[in-house]
Amino acid sequence: MNISKVKILFLLGNLLPFIQLLVFIVCFLKISGVFYQVFFTLVFIYLIPPLLFRVIHLFFKLEHGTQRIFDRGHLVWWYGIQLQLLYARFPFLEEILRIPPFLYSAWLRLWGAKVGKLVYWSPRVEILDRNLVEIGDRVVVGYGVKMTSHLLNQEKIFIAPISIGADAVIGGEVRIAPGCTIGKGVIVKALSVLNPMTILSNNEQDK
């Protein structure tokens, strides 16, 4: 695939959140009856995007590591992240799911994440690459924690999953970059910033 076609596909992907919103509005206005409108809203917001995401990744493999922005592998990630941007622009859509923590864990699994049992999610948690996180049992994720499994640098992108071991505690407002590994039982202090590929074990940070 030549670079001009990739750029066109890249730009089309950039329109995906707008197209999602437009399709929702048009379809919603054509549906009559409160019950059907509510049902359509729930399906369109919480079921169709993750299913489309899984279909894309079923046919196209997401490659980890460093790659150029206009490589084919980047397009796979780009379309996937665009399907998830709706929840970053309207964070209340996920905040509702965090009231019963098990529901948010199930939501992440729907995108392809590996989430253990009895994970507690505080308010305003933000995960940008939902399919690239692995979280063990009984993990506590503090207020305002942000996890990002990608990093853009000029014309390249670095993609790597984030792993958090069982019984770990992630303090409030912690920032976790791509490729970070937090070991079993580790406590990450509030306001910490973990650089890419950081490994934490027994409360000691190794780069």
Side-chain angles (χ1 to χ4, degrees):
M1 187 181 299
N2 62 55
I3 192 167
S4 61
K5 289 183 179 180
V6 172
K7 287 182 177 180
I8 292 173
L9 290 172
F10 181 85
L11 292 174
L12 290 175
N14 195 37
L15 295 173
L16 194 52
F18 173 73
I19 294 173
Q20 281 181 275
L21 188 59
L22 186 62
V23 170
F24 171 76
I25 293 173
V26 171
C27 293
F28 183 86
L29 293 176
K30 289 186 176 182
I31 296 174
S32 58
V34 175
F35 172 80
Y36 294 106
Q37 288 178 332
V38 171
F39 179 78
F40 169 75
T41 299
L42 293 176
V43 170
F44 191 90
I45 292 176
Y46 294 113
L47 188 59
I48 292 179
L51 290 182
L52 284 175
F53 180 90
R54 297 296 288 268
V55 169
I56 290 173
H57 286 78
L58 181 64
F59 290 99
F60 302 98
K61 182 180 179 181
L62 176 64
E63 297 180 2
H64 300 169
T66 302
Q67 51 192 296
R68 294 179 301 173
I69 287 181
F70 293 114
D71 284 345
R72 179 178 175 178
H74 172 252
L75 278 177
V76 177
W77 170 83
W78 180 247
Y79 273 79
I81 202 67
Q82 294 303 313
L83 283 171
Q84 301 176 71
L85 280 186
L86 179 69
Y87 312 99
R89 298 189 185 280
F90 302 103
F92 71 90
L93 294 174
E94 285 195 317
E95 200 60 56
I96 295 171
L97 301 179
R98 281 191 285 270
I99 295 175
F102 65 89
L103 193 57
Y104 185 66
S105 293
W107 165 247
L108 293 178
R109 294 187 193 105
L110 192 59
W111 288 92
K114 297 179 181 179
V115 183
K117 301 176 182 177
L118 302 177
V119 176
Y120 179 77
W121 303 96
S122 299
R124 298 196 177 183
V125 171
E126 185 175 348
I127 301 176
L128 295 181
D129 300 273
R130 292 162 183 81
N131 60 312
L132 294 174
V133 293
E134 183 174 351
I135 299 172
D137 298 335
R138 300 174 300 278
V139 170
V140 175
V141 183
Y143 181 93
V145 169
K146 291 187 178 181
M147 304 183 196
T148 306
S149 296
H150 71 273
L151 180 65
L152 289 168
N153 183 14
Q154 296 179 349
E155 296 184 358
K156 293 183 179 181
I157 182 171
F158 175 69
I159 301 172
I162 292 170
S163 176
I164 302 176
D167 300 305
V169 177
I170 314 299
E173 303 290 348
V174 170
R175 304 292 183 264
I176 305 177
C180 287
T181 299
I182 299 171
K184 181 177 180 180
V186 169
I187 298 175
V188 183
K189 295 180 180 179
L191 304 178
S192 297
V193 177
L194 305 186
N195 294 321
M197 304 305 293
T198 294
I199 299 175
L200 292 180
S201 178
N202 298 322
N203 294 329
E204 293 181 358
Q205 180 172 326
D206 302 314
K207 294 184 178 180

